[in-house]
Amino acid sequence: MAQPAHLITPVDAVVARMRALDRALPARDGVAVFNRVYLAVTEEVDRRLDAGEFTDPRAATALDVRFAERYLAAVDAAAADRRPPACWRPLFQLRRHPGVRPLQFALAGINAHIGHDLALAVVDACRTLRCEPADLEDEFDRVGDLLVSLEERIREELMPGPDLLQIADPLTHLLGSWSLERAREATWATARALWALRHCADVAGEFTDRLDAAVGFAGRMLLTPLPG
């Protein structure tokens, strides 16, 4: 049963968008693969908000929604034949490539979203809440812990089985070169740097552009087609 409009939260609205994408996209589509992963994360954040597990639910909601909005904006840009940020382009360009495995799609999306979008979402949330990044650190860590645990589950569920050992060896090598934990640590440092540069628009813009390009390059490596 649908909730009355006055009870629908910003996180509910984000979840509804992702569920609509899940219904609309072919299951094997690379964006669909990542969307299912991210939908599971957002639903879990929503559940924990309802359960009162966040110290500051207003801050957690602001961070979660600003974070999701950047992914959804990239989806909207691609759907309208506009260029999404560089960090997202490899996933949209290779989303139907038969040589790219579901695990690669999932981690390439996580790479774009954590490596680029999350740092900017922290800055967005700080502006919305009129606070400092340090005020969001607990919420950042809680969401990060959830992502790390989910990444482990994703690797287990999407890793090829014994009948695909000819794929598993290069895939294991490729994915072993990227770590969500390292990306998360770098993202927090990046968010703090961007906040410190918020009054230097030119420098902050160049910093953000270079971050976008670097994360996009890593995503392209994660999506290297493998022999099938």
Side-chain angles (χ1 to χ4, degrees), residues 71-212:
Y71 158 62
L72 294 171
V75 171
D76 290 342
D81 291 326
R82 291 182 280 108
R83 281 166 68 86
C87 62
W88 285 107
R89 283 176 214 153
L91 180 60
F92 286 107
Q93 291 167 351
L94 295 169
R95 61 194 295 177
R96 298 181 183 89
H97 197 296
V100 180
R101 307 300 159 185
L103 179 56
Q104 292 174 265
F105 287 134
L107 294 186
I110 293 172
N111 168 70
H113 206 36
I114 298 295
H116 175 266
D117 293 355
L118 184 54
L120 274 62
V122 170
V123 174
D124 292 342
C126 285
R127 287 179 171 143
T128 298
L129 299 169
R130 298 183 180 181
C131 68
E132 299 284 324
D135 299 320
L136 297 179
E137 190 167 7
D138 287 346
E139 285 65 37
F140 179 93
D141 286 343
R142 284 178 181 271
V143 172
D145 289 343
L146 176 58
L147 286 164
V148 168
S149 65
L150 186 63
E151 186 211 15
E152 294 171 356
R153 194 177 81 194
I154 292 165
R155 287 179 183 265
E156 290 174 1
E157 291 178 357
L158 297 181
M159 195 68 182
D163 56 329
L164 295 176
L165 285 178
Q166 72 275 19
I167 296 171
D169 283 346
L171 183 60
T172 301
H173 175 76
L174 178 67
L175 300 180
S177 65
W178 186 84
S179 162
L180 190 151
E181 188 62 47
R182 290 197 300 271
R184 171 184 162 190
E185 291 171 358
T187 291
W188 183 246
T190 299
R192 293 176 60 208
L194 285 171
W195 184 251
L197 292 171
R198 67 191 181 280
H199 300 306
C200 303
D202 290 346
V203 178
E206 182 178 353
F207 186 98
T208 302
D209 288 345
R210 291 184 181 276
L211 172 69
D212 190 20

